[in-house]
Amino acid sequence: MKILLTNDDGFDADGLQVLARRLRAEHEVWIVAPVSNRSGVSCSFSINCEHLLQERGGHAYALDASPADCVYSALRGGYLPSLPDIVLSGINHGGNIGTDVVYSGTCGAARQAAFSGIPAAALSVERPSGCSRPFCAADFEPLADFAAKNILQLKELCGAPDAESGRCSRFVNVNAPVAASYRGVRFASLAKRIYHGDRVNIVRKNDENVYSTCIGGNSASAFGGEGCDAFLVSDGYVAVSVLYTEPSADVSFCGKDTGAFVL
């Protein structure tokens, strides 16, 4: 199988490189990933912007752009000999659980692949609550092995591209705990994440400009019941969430008079 890898932690991140090494034992693997960390950029996409593309050897490129840009460049840029059978985004340094999928560049890359008609999965590893040590390469090896063993199942969950739009209607979000082995695999709903300790720092510097910086609190709580991704990962399972590619609206409003709206 031909696999395209990307991520949002940057080309040199352990999660990406561990995944690439594991998959290359059995598949043709290409990498097009951000040259540096692009976490939290969601499906950010650049129009009419020039980005430096660096060939890193061994079917690998680093692009100075967002994860979604990397996927679009790889699929449309003509420097890959053919389209991949699947795009895998990750393995992310930290979970992309519940509400995280709105912000995640890892998930944004998978969604962009699905928009382009290529099956895609986002892969992330969640640290235990209260753990502050940095990730190491060994943390990603179990999920890399899971992805390699289940690549066909992940592809099938995305379904075939829609005949009218050419898009995949679904992509897959996979989260796993830092663990030597897993208790099992479960399909999961999305938790609701509440982020704690985030703040905005406003500073006037010597150039007399005022700068605003969002500083993450590195703490979150989640709720959503026993079937949600947060609960399953904390209980030692691989949580597999099948997500719709397209945004959806509340159809209960469709066709109704808008009532209070005026023109």
Side-chain angles (χ1 to χ4, degrees), residues 154-170:
L154 293 173
K155 182 176 183 291
E156 289 172 0
L157 285 173
C158 299
D162 177 74
E164 183 177 14
S165 69
R167 297 177 170 181
C168 292
S169 62
R170 304 183 299 270

Side-chain angles (χ1 to χ4, degrees), residues 5 32 42 44 60 90 118 131 134 140 152 158 163 213 231 238 249-250 261:
L5 301 184
V32 181
S42 188
S44 175
I118 306 296
C131 178
F140 305 104
L152 287 176
C158 299
T213 305
F231 178 88
V238 177
D250 187 338
F261 288 105

Side-chain angles (χ1 to χ4, degrees), residues 216-228:
N218 295 319
S219 176
S221 57
F223 58 97
E226 294 185 358
C228 74

Side-chain angles (χ1 to χ4, degrees), residues 194-214:
I194 305 297
Y195 306 103
H196 306 289
D198 294 358
R199 60 189 176 89
V200 174
N201 193 28
I202 304 294
V203 176
R204 184 182 295 276
K205 295 190 175 180
N206 292 335
D207 61 5
E208 294 304 311
N209 289 315
V210 177
Y211 297 86
S212 174
T213 305
C214 178

Side-chain angles (χ1 to χ4, degrees), residues 10 24 78 103 147 262:
R24 280 176 176 147
Y103 302 104
V262 296

Side-chain angles (χ1 to χ4, degrees), residues 81-162:
S82 60
L83 291 176
D85 298 301
I86 190 171
V87 172
L88 297 181
S89 182
I91 300 171
N92 194 62
H93 293 213
N96 280 303
I97 286 173
T99 311
D100 296 344
V101 304
V102 175
Y103 302 104
S104 167
T106 306
C107 293
R111 188 185 296 273
Q112 181 59 56
F115 279 146
S116 301
I118 306 296
L123 307 169
S124 305
V125 167
E126 175 82 323
R127 273 187 292 223
S129 178
C131 178
S132 59
R133 72 163 177 82
F135 281 103
C136 65
D139 292 332
F140 305 104
E141 290 171 357
L143 188 54
D145 190 56
F146 171 85
K149 291 176 178 176
N150 295 281
I151 191 77
L152 287 176
Q153 290 90 327
L154 293 173
K155 182 176 183 291
E156 289 172 0
L157 285 173
C158 299
D162 177 74

